[in-house]
Amino acid sequence: MEGALENDPKSTPSPSESTQPPGPARALKVEPPGDAEGCVRPLETAPKKLCGYLSKFGGKGPLRGWKCRWFFYDEKKCHLYYSRTAQDANPLDSIDLSSAVFDCKADAEEEGTFEIKTPSRVITLKAATKQVMLYWLQQLQMKRWEFHNSPPAPPATPDVALAGHGPTLHLELGQEEAELEEFLCPVKTPTGLVGAAAAFQPVPAMPSALQNISLKHLGTEIQNTMHNICGNKPAQAAGHGPLVEESSQSGEHQKGEQPLTHDASTPGKEPEESPKPVPKSSLPTSLMQKPKRQSNTFPFFSDGLARSRTAQEKVVALEQQVLVLTKELKSQKELVLILHKALEAAQQEKRASSAYLAAAEDKDRLELVRHKVRQIAELSRQVEALEQERVRLVHEAGLREQQVQALQQHTQLLMDKNQAKQQVICKLSEKLTEDLAQSPGQPPDTSDGNFLSQQEMIEHLKDDMEAYRTQNRFLNSEIHQVTKIWRKVAEKEKALLTKCAYLQARNCQVESKHLSGLRRLQEAVGTEAGDFSELLQQLIQEALQWEAGEASDSVELSPISEYDDYGFLTVPDYEVEDLKLLAKIQALEVRSHHLLTLEAVERPLRERWAALGELMPSAELKQLLRAGVPREHRPRVWRWLVHRRVRHLHSPGCYRELLARGQACEHPAARQIELDLNRTFPTNKYFTCPTSSFPDRLRRVLLAFSWQNPTIGYCQGLNRLAAIALLVLEDEESAFWCLVAIVENILPAEYYSKTLTASQVDQRVLQDLLSEKLPRLMAHLGQHHVDLSLITFNWFLVVFADSLISDILLRVWDAFLYEGTKVVFRYALAIFKYNEEEILRLQDSLEIYQYLRFFTRTICDSRKLMSIAFNDMNPFPMKQLRQLRAAHRERLETELWELERLKAEYLERRASRGRAVPEGCISEDEGEGDG
């Protein structure tokens, strides 16, 4: 019932080492290949092993009780193995300490009782003394911390490559030891009851030999018994064996607690060979196979025995370093060879492109294209490999999440138990104070027999208080360490999720490039017949159907559903058959952009909005609104923005009065409103679902506005503005005031009049700004006689409600409600700048019009569009915008006045001529009379 830490850190170096000069070079030494971890370790810190006898509570029925077991800790797996004796070859079972928590029992019936709690079971153990119990608990804590903070060692890593991890790991462990000392002072190693010395002590006697046998692991018990019988026969015949040698060594350890040292200068003496250590990796093999070794005593801790370093071992270590450097040189040569191959591949690709351009016949070009198709297939296989890696990482992240939840539950249990223990300590302290304060001025009556019993009770209470105080300190240290481990696991999980997101995004980008290549090939081939055309069509069909077959197996980190939070289709459903491939490419780009911006952009933006207190006009708020408002904050922010615009018009009960007026009599615009309700956002599920309440709410908002502003009443386009406000704000009255703010405050007057004067002015202003900011594009459109107002007029009338995808649209509205119509001009220019190169490649007016009809919905990168609008389009002074509007308004009014004059002259001429009927014709009235 004791624990062990082998190898005293104050061990004396061998004479060969002591002759070296002191200095930094002596601080680290390279262990030979057989030593503990195979990495650089300080000379003063030798590898430590934790082992010893403890009593374990278990069994069933009459055999239930304490059983003596030999425990040994495996550092690589963070498992605590136990067997019946130290000489057993196979362990009975193991305890996973990586996700375990520890608890000492101050109120237990027997001293030295503590528990190890894992997610699957609770193991109750008992040490010989309280000191041994605390020693075990502290060491288990440190081993668990060391396991969670040790860097993962890749297989076949050279000793020198791991040299950088040694000092960092020891610094972290030293810091953790210092932090735990604040809660509980470290317990000294119990003399004579630890390490190898504990293995040579007699096994603690049990009341019954049968009671100490594990019936649950009866097969392992039989194997261990047969191994011990077979292993002892040769040792008894020879008169000595490993047990005798180990006993002599352990005896010396008990006396001086120092490893054996050999004096190389003494003549006639050769250093004794220490027993060959058994590697830790042999432990799992012994669990699965029958033992075949003879007299292999103490298989669980013999690899940690101290041994002296000889000159031959140092030579071996140097040879190992030479071997490592040789391997590294070989790997560098292989890297150079790989780079040469990559260069050759690039040159071959260049030659292939040149050959494709120089080929005279279609047959040669077809062969070159087939070669490219094979390269695309190779890229597809790489994508599949990346997807498998992503699934593995997601599975690993799920396991980490389960461990975190288990640790959280254990932490909460420990905190509750700690609080209860503190309450008990406080009550006992109060009771003790009251007992001592009952007779402060009177000396105790020694003749009374109750005084002795009270004194004994006080002593017992003092012992209980000390025990609870010790337990409280240990539990505080346990809570502290478990919390730190939980935080590290949470950070690792977050890092894994981020890596998975980037892998998914890269996968989407690769697939998008693949589909874009297929689409360009399809456009290049056109209607040509042949095998290549059929093969290309087959590849396109497989690409369009691939996602449906994969959806059941893939794990989505940030799933992109069919509809977004506001009910809009995430990806538009193009009616034209040729554009389905474009829709699939756009879906991949949306998904890739969403994954990449989720962690890098969206999360910090949400944190900034969460930290923002009361809303006040400022430069910071302006930048935040341009970057976009998170969904959870958007209703509150929009209400504040609308209230700033209409506070001079807002009055309580105004909206209800307008609705009541509409119920009293029908407005002339009610019929047009009813017709437009069914045409409002046909791709939004909230306005197309028959059971949705949004159409009725939208009807009431539009009718209330028609009564609020009789000069406008209702104009086509107002239904979309009110629908956007209703989707975000959800409240009818708030949506009504948002519509009032846009029409009567933000947009210029006569924007929705019968002549749409202000709307026409803005179209001419946009033409001037495009000529100034994008002259090359305007020259190209002018060459093909393209009238942009046919496309952009609706942008301004409904503030892009029918043009942009919902995520970008709402970001535009965030800035539009704060800054005004200047934002609409900025984004209109940015949209053309975003797609300028694509438009310049089109050389036919019909193709340009067809592209301009849907090109705004191909924009997926909201950050790029925002940067173009607010950075690339600068300078953009409001003074210039007002001057352009005034100039174009004057010209437009002159034109309208001229049209009105011509109209009046025509009507006057027509009235002066009268309605004379030419000869030979009869009027309709005369014809009817004759009939």
Side-chain angles (χ1 to χ4, degrees):
M1 295 176 286
E2 50 270 349
L5 278 178
E6 292 188 307
N7 292 344
D8 196 311
K10 299 179 181 179
S11 58
T12 305
S14 63
S16 60
E17 294 172 348
S18 62
T19 58
Q20 297 177 1
R26 296 269 338 267
L28 298 175
K29 68 172 186 177
V30 181
E31 295 289 336
D35 281 358
E37 298 296 332
C39 63
V40 178
R41 292 181 178 271
L43 184 63
E44 293 78 13
T45 56
K48 299 180 178 180
K49 299 298 178 183
L50 180 63
C51 56
Y53 278 107
L54 290 172
S55 294
K56 178 179 176 296
F57 189 81
K60 294 183 179 180
L63 297 181
R64 185 170 179 80
W66 295 103
K67 298 184 179 182
C68 180
R69 295 290 181 258
W70 170 261
F71 285 84
F72 175 82
Y73 175 74
D74 185 1
E75 295 180 358
K76 288 185 177 179
K77 296 184 177 180
C78 196
H79 277 227
L80 188 65
Y81 292 89
Y82 60 89
S83 58
R84 195 156 58 88
T85 64
Q87 287 75 22
D88 290 345
N90 296 334
L92 296 175
D93 202 352
S94 65
I95 305 170
D96 185 5
L97 300 181
S98 60
S99 57
V101 293
F102 314 114
D103 183 15
C104 60
K105 295 294 184 181
D107 53 352
E109 297 180 358
E110 301 187 30
E111 186 182 23
T113 304
F114 63 99
E115 290 182 351
I116 301 178
K117 298 180 180 179
T118 66
S120 58
R121 56 176 176 163
V122 178
I123 300 93
T124 304
L125 304 175
K126 184 177 65 174
T129 61
K130 181 180 177 181
Q131 180 188 8
V132 176
M133 176 194 72
L134 293 177
Y135 170 80
W136 268 97
L137 289 172
Q138 287 185 344
Q139 293 302 320
L140 290 176
Q141 275 188 335
M142 293 306 303
K143 296 297 183 183
R144 180 185 60 191
W145 180 258
E146 181 180 356
F147 175 78
H148 279 284
N149 286 273
S150 58
T157 303
D159 296 346
V160 181
L162 294 177
H165 297 299
T168 305
L169 179 58
H170 284 291
L171 287 176
E172 291 181 355
L173 294 178
Q175 181 181 0
E176 178 63 16
E177 290 177 356
E179 291 179 353
L180 294 180
E181 285 180 8
E182 298 178 1
F183 298 99
L184 193 65
C185 296
V187 180
K188 295 183 179 180
T189 305
T191 306
L193 301 175
V194 298
F200 299 107
Q201 298 293 333
V203 179
M206 299 301 295
S208 172
L210 181 61
Q211 186 177 2
N212 199 34
I213 296 177
S214 176
L215 297 179
K216 182 179 179 181
H217 310 89
L218 189 58
T220 306
E221 289 274 10
I222 295 174
Q223 290 182 8
N224 291 332
T225 305
M226 296 300 297
H227 175 267
N228 292 335
I229 294 174
C230 296
N232 288 336
K233 288 180 180 180
Q236 292 174 0
H240 60 85
L243 180 60
V244 179
E245 298 176 4
E246 295 287 353
S247 301
S248 61
Q249 293 180 9
S250 65
E252 295 183 11
H253 274 291
Q254 290 178 1
K255 293 177 183 179
E257 294 190 357
Q258 294 182 354
L260 293 174
T261 58
H262 306 283
D263 191 354
S265 61
T266 306
K269 289 188 177 181
E270 293 293 333
E272 298 178 2
E273 293 184 0
S274 59
K276 184 178 180 181
V278 179
K280 299 176 188 176
S281 59
S282 64
L283 185 57
T285 308
S286 64
L287 292 172
M288 301 170 60
Q289 301 177 354
K290 294 184 179 181
K292 298 182 180 180
R293 297 168 296 179
Q294 295 183 355
S295 302
N296 189 10
T297 312
F298 318 125
F300 297 144
F301 62 91
S302 59
D303 60 341
L305 293 176
R307 64 176 186 172
S308 303
R309 292 174 53 81
T310 62
Q312 183 179 1
E313 290 175 342
K314 292 181 180 178
V315 171
V316 172
L318 293 175
E319 291 177 352
Q320 182 71 13
Q321 292 186 20
V322 171
L323 180 62
V324 168
L325 293 175
T326 304
K327 290 181 179 179
E328 185 177 359
L329 178 61
K330 183 179 179 181
S331 64
Q332 295 294 335
K333 291 181 178 179
E334 292 176 354
L335 178 60
V336 171
L337 181 61
I338 291 173
L339 292 176
H340 278 298
K341 290 182 178 179
L343 180 60
E344 291 177 0
Q347 293 176 350
Q348 289 178 0
E349 184 175 1
K350 182 178 179 181
R351 288 195 295 270
S353 302
S354 302
Y356 181 86
L357 297 175
E361 298 182 1
D362 293 341
K363 182 178 180 181
D364 297 334
R365 292 189 176 182
L366 180 60
E367 182 62 28
L368 292 174
V369 171
R370 285 178 178 173
H371 176 66
K372 290 296 181 181
V373 170
R374 288 193 292 270
Q375 291 183 347
I376 292 174
E378 180 65 23
L379 287 175
S380 300
R381 286 193 292 271
Q382 295 179 5
V383 168
E384 292 176 358
L386 288 173
E387 181 66 19
Q388 293 176 358
E389 176 69 13
R390 181 189 62 79
V391 172
R392 185 186 67 79
L393 291 174
V394 170
H395 178 67
E396 185 177 350
L399 296 178
R400 293 289 186 182
E401 179 65 24
Q402 294 177 1
Q403 293 181 0
V404 168
Q405 292 177 359
L407 287 173
Q408 287 178 338
Q409 294 175 359
H410 287 302
T411 302
Q412 186 63 35
L413 289 175
L414 288 174
M415 292 177 66
D416 295 342
K417 186 175 295 185
N418 184 24
Q419 185 177 1
K421 297 295 178 60
Q422 289 178 350
Q423 292 176 359
V424 172
I425 291 173
C426 292
K427 290 181 179 179
L428 292 175
S429 301
E430 293 175 359
K431 185 177 180 182
L432 178 61
T433 305
E434 292 176 358
D435 292 341
L436 294 176
Q438 285 180 358
S439 55
Q442 299 179 0
D445 188 5
T446 55
S447 60
D448 190 3
N450 293 332
F451 176 75
L452 295 177
S453 61
Q454 291 179 358
Q455 197 171 13
E456 292 178 358
M457 186 180 299
I458 291 174
E459 294 297 330
H460 287 302
L461 289 175
K462 288 182 179 180
D463 294 340
D464 291 341
M465 286 180 61
E466 185 63 29
Y468 281 118
R469 187 177 290 109
T470 303
Q471 183 187 22
N472 184 32
R473 291 173 180 171
F474 172 76
L475 291 178
N476 286 335
S477 67
E478 180 72 3
I479 293 172
H480 173 73
Q481 190 182 86
V482 169
T483 303
K484 293 183 68 175
I485 292 175
W486 171 76
R487 288 175 180 172
K488 284 185 174 292
V489 172
E491 292 175 359
K492 291 180 181 179
E493 179 191 13
K494 183 179 179 181
L496 286 174
L497 290 175
T498 304
K499 184 177 181 181
C500 288
Y502 277 102
L503 286 175
Q504 272 192 341
R506 185 176 179 185
N507 185 15
C508 293
Q509 292 173 353
V510 171
E511 187 181 355
S512 175
K513 291 179 180 178
H514 168 64
L515 295 178
S516 299
L518 291 177
R519 184 167 180 266
R520 291 185 179 180
L521 283 175
Q522 185 184 31
E523 293 175 352
V525 172
T527 57
E528 294 180 5
D531 298 337
F532 176 69
S533 179
E534 296 178 359
L535 175 62
L536 184 60
Q537 190 66 26
Q538 181 181 359
L539 289 174
I540 293 174
Q541 293 297 328
E542 290 177 356
L544 291 174
Q545 298 173 1
W546 177 72
E547 187 175 5
E550 189 197 44
S552 58
D553 300 331
S554 62
V555 179
E556 295 287 352
L557 286 176
S558 303
I560 304 297
S561 59
E562 184 180 2
Y563 294 94
D564 63 6
D565 294 334
Y566 296 99
F568 290 99
L569 275 173
T570 307
V571 179
D573 185 14
Y574 297 111
E575 298 177 357
V576 183
E577 185 71 21
D578 296 340
L579 300 180
K580 288 185 177 180
L581 186 60
L582 181 63
K584 178 66 180 298
I585 295 172
Q586 184 179 350
L588 292 170
E589 291 179 353
V590 169
R591 185 178 177 190
S592 172
H593 175 69
H594 179 74
L595 289 167
L596 290 175
T597 59
L598 181 64
E599 291 291 333
V601 179
E602 297 299 331
R603 196 177 303 276
L605 183 62
R606 280 188 168 87
E607 293 175 356
R608 290 182 63 187
W609 275 104
L612 191 66
E614 184 179 358
L615 296 176
M616 294 291 292
S618 63
E620 181 187 6
L621 179 62
K622 185 178 181 180
Q623 294 301 323
L624 285 175
L625 288 171
R626 288 180 174 182
V629 184
R631 186 186 186 280
E632 59 270 20
H633 298 286
R634 184 168 278 137
R636 175 178 66 92
V637 174
W638 278 28
R639 288 189 181 94
W640 179 80
L641 293 173
V642 170
H643 180 71
R644 291 180 64 248
R645 300 279 186 177
V646 299
R647 55 190 170 190
H648 62 287
L649 300 173
H650 190 278
S651 60
C654 177
Y655 179 69
R656 294 183 180 179
E657 293 177 2
L658 294 173
L659 289 180
R661 186 188 299 182
Q663 293 176 356
C665 61
E666 185 177 0
H667 194 279
R671 186 171 179 273
Q672 185 62 40
I673 291 173
E674 201 65 33
L675 291 175
D676 285 351
L677 284 179
N678 297 327
R679 293 180 289 192
T680 304
F681 294 140
T683 60
N684 189 290
K685 64 179 181 180
Y686 293 122
F687 290 97
T688 56
C689 179
T691 59
S692 175
S693 63
F694 275 84
D696 295 334
R697 294 156 68 182
L698 178 60
R699 179 190 296 110
R700 290 192 289 270
V701 171
L702 294 175
L703 286 174
F705 180 81
S706 64
W707 287 107
Q708 162 74 15
N709 195 328
T711 58
I712 296 177
Y714 175 76
C715 178
Q716 287 187 348
L718 296 181
N719 59 325
R720 290 166 175 79
L721 297 178
I724 293 293
L726 197 59
L727 286 170
V728 174
L729 299 172
E730 297 181 356
D731 178 32
E732 287 184 29
E733 186 172 359
S734 299
F736 164 75
W737 287 114
C738 182
L739 181 61
V740 172
I742 294 173
V743 176
E744 299 184 7
N745 188 280
I746 299 178
L747 295 176
E750 299 183 5
Y751 220 79
Y752 297 96
S753 63
K754 293 182 180 179
T755 59
L756 300 175
T757 304
S759 300
Q760 296 184 56
V761 168
D762 278 356
Q763 293 306 306
R764 300 187 179 191
V765 173
L766 178 63
Q767 297 282 340
D768 290 350
L769 293 175
L770 282 170
S771 300
E772 176 188 348
K773 304 288 185 180
L774 303 172
R776 193 160 60 104
L777 177 64
M778 289 303 293
H780 178 72
L781 295 176
Q783 181 182 357
H784 293 282
H785 308 287
V786 176
D787 185 5
L788 284 182
S789 62
L790 298 175
I791 305 298
T792 59
F793 192 85
N794 192 55
W795 293 3
F796 284 71
L797 202 65
V798 297
V799 194
F800 301 105
D802 287 333
S803 305
L804 298 172
I805 61 176
S806 60
D807 179 60
I808 300 178
L809 170 66
L810 294 174
R811 294 174 190 268
V812 173
W813 276 54
D814 293 336
F816 166 72
L817 292 176
Y818 184 74
E819 301 183 51
T821 53
K822 180 172 64 173
V823 173
V824 183
F825 283 98
R826 281 184 176 273
Y827 271 100
L829 295 172
I831 289 172
F832 284 108
K833 179 65 175 178
Y834 191 100
N835 298 273
E836 182 179 14
E837 297 301 327
E838 292 290 337
I839 299 174
L840 291 175
R841 278 199 289 266
L842 302 176
Q843 299 299 327
D844 182 75
S845 59
L846 183 62
E847 290 183 0
I848 294 176
Y849 275 117
Q850 184 178 4
Y851 179 74
L852 293 179
R853 192 165 50 87
F854 66 86
F855 81 115
T856 55
R857 290 194 169 271
T858 63
I859 300 174
C860 303
D861 193 344
S862 59
R863 298 292 160 186
K864 179 181 177 182
L865 186 65
M866 182 199 71
S867 177
I868 295 174
F870 295 106
N871 296 328
D872 297 355
M873 292 298 111
N874 285 334
F876 203 92
M878 192 65 189
K879 181 179 179 181
Q880 177 190 8
L881 186 60
R882 284 194 291 265
Q883 291 174 352
L884 289 174
R885 274 178 168 172
H888 283 291
R889 186 179 187 88
E890 184 178 353
R891 296 193 193 100
L892 181 62
E893 289 177 349
T894 303
E895 294 174 3
L896 292 176
W897 181 83
E898 183 67 22
L899 287 174
E900 289 293 331
R901 188 183 63 81
L902 294 175
K903 180 180 178 182
E905 291 178 357
Y906 168 76
L907 292 175
E908 184 179 355
R909 288 196 305 269
R910 184 178 179 184
S912 64
R913 289 199 304 264
R915 299 180 59 83
V917 181
E919 296 182 1
C921 297
I922 59 175
S923 65
E924 293 180 359
D925 296 338
E926 292 175 352
E928 290 177 359
D930 293 341

